[in-house]
């Protein structure tokens, strides 16, 4: 098996803050994030933009991909979760935390309009996968911590899905 399952968590809140921080601060090559709003990412770590900038200054490629708040996929997800247009508003609010990253040469922020089956948080060869269950917010669903130990395993399948969404996403111009 080329991907190792390190840990499972019942929901996103069950992932210890220390895990998020150690993965982020230890990343030297890649930090890739694929979410709709990612509100929790900034709210649980008020220094997230500064920390991502620090990693980029150290040579780490930082790519953040959020849902397009005006896109069809966000509207559909809001309907499926029974929250209407609230998800688009959450994305707009979340994006305010990431404005400083847009001007940084080592960081890219894009918006996608795709069905999101899993939120992904890649830190080099570690990947936190938050699968989405229909009609439930991502926060209520489990998280898998995968480590890449070769190629052609779960890790690479999820990393490839990030790349596919990233290629179709449009650059975010903060306003």
């Amino acid at each position: 098996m080329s991907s190792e399952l390190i840990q499972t968590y019942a929901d996103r809140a069950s992932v210890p803050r220390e895990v998020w921080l150690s993965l982020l601060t230890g990343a030297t090559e890649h930090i890739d994030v694929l979410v709709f709003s990612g509100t929790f990412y900034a709210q649980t770590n008020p220094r997230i933009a500064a920390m991502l900038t620090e990693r980029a200054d150290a040579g780490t490629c930082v790519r953040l991909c959020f849902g397009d708040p005006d896109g069809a996929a966000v509207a559909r997800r809001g309907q499926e979760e029974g929250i209407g247009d609230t998800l688009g508003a959450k994305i707009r609010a979340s994006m305010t935390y990431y404005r400083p990253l847009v001007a940084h040469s080592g960081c890219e922020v894009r918006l996608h309009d795709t069905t999101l089956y899993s939120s992904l948080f890649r830190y080099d060869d570690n990947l936190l996968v938050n699968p989405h269950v229909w009609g439930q917010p991502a926060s209520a669903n489990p998280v898998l911590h995968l480590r890449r130990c070769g190629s052609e395993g779960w890790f690479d399948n999820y990393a490839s899905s990030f790349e596919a969404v990233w290629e179709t996403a449009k650059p975010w111009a903060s306003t």
Side-chain angles (χ1 to χ4, degrees), residues 36-37 39 67-71 73-79 83-95:
F36 269 133
S37 72
T39 307
D68 182 342
D70 298 315
V74 167
R76 185 172 39 259
R77 179 62 179 246
Q79 291 171 350
I83 60 172
D85 62 357
T86 303
L87 183 55
K90 283 177 63 175
I91 294 167
R92 284 183 190 88
S94 180
M95 298 301 290

Side-chain angles (χ1 to χ4, degrees), residues 68-121:
D68 182 342
D70 298 315
V74 167
R76 185 172 39 259
R77 179 62 179 246
Q79 291 171 350
E80 291 170 352
E81 287 186 20
I83 60 172
D85 62 357
T86 303
L87 183 55
K90 283 177 63 175
I91 294 167
R92 284 183 190 88
S94 180
M95 298 301 290
T96 63
Y97 295 103
Y98 302 98
R99 280 191 183 122
L101 292 147
V102 174
H104 195 285
S105 62
C107 301
E108 277 192 84
V109 182
R110 294 186 184 181
L111 300 176
H112 70 86
D113 190 24
T114 59
T115 301
L116 194 57
Y117 298 104
S118 297
S119 297
L120 303 174
F121 306 87

Side-chain angles (χ1 to χ4, degrees), residues 15-22 44-46:
V15 180
R17 186 170 191 269
E18 296 75 28
V19 169
W20 292 104
L21 291 175
S22 68
T44 59
N45 184 358

Side-chain angles (χ1 to χ4, degrees), residues 27-39:
T28 59
E29 295 177 21
H30 302 281
I31 295 176
D32 296 332
V33 175
L34 175 62
V35 293
F36 269 133
S37 72
T39 307

